[in-house]
Amino acid sequence: QVQLVESGGGLVQPGGSLRLSCVASGSIRNIIVRAWYRQAPGKQREMVATIPLFGSPTYADSVKGRFTIARDNAKNTVYLQMNSLKPEDTAVYYCNVRSIPSNYWGQGTQVTVSS
């Protein structure tokens, strides 16, 4: 059974940086795209960044220029480098892997940006 395990969340001051990691245990075939989503209290889950099998990454407008998504296929890992963090980035961050025919989610990791 495939599991996605996120790590790297925590408390950081505004302007700081964090790097999230998501490791997939088990083999996932026919991956279409890897992505990070987030959900803030009282809000809907939203896409933060995606990295497709082919093509360029995409980012939510709110994180462009500050966040970078990357993958390491050999390690079965996807990363989210977050710089210049703002209080409005506070949320639970979820890793997502979309394949044919399945869609996988991690359990989430909390990111809190506060002074």
Side-chain angles (χ1 to χ4, degrees):
Q1 184 176 356
V2 173
Q3 284 189 320
L4 302 181
V5 180
E6 300 105 332
S7 61
L11 173 64
V12 64
Q13 291 187 342
S17 298
L18 284 173
R19 188 176 82 152
L20 305 183
S21 300
C22 172
V23 180
S25 64
S27 175
I28 303 177
R29 296 187 176 188
N30 303 320
I31 293 175
I32 302 170
V33 63
R34 295 176 174 87
W36 287 95
Y37 285 73
R38 67 186 181 187
Q39 187 167 19
K43 294 188 177 181
Q44 288 190 331
R45 191 173 296 189
E46 62 174 357
M47 185 277 290
V48 175
T50 71
I51 183 165
L53 181 62
F54 300 106
S56 301
T58 61
Y59 299 92
D61 287 343
S62 59
V63 307
K64 280 181 183 176
R66 300 188 298 122
F67 290 12
T68 303
I69 188 170
R71 64 172 181 255
D72 186 332
N73 291 334
K75 295 182 178 180
N76 228 1
T77 301
V78 60
Y79 303 97
L80 185 68
Q81 178 66 45
M82 305 185 294
N83 299 327
S84 302
L85 283 161
K86 304 175 181 180
E88 50 264 43
D89 294 318
T90 294
V92 178
Y93 284 70
Y94 296 91
C95 175
N96 171 256
V97 175
R98 211 174 313 154
S99 70
I100 300 174
S102 301
N103 194 26
Y104 301 94
W105 290 94
Q107 82 289 349
T109 185
Q110 176 70 45
V111 171
T112 302
V113 185
S114 175
S115 55

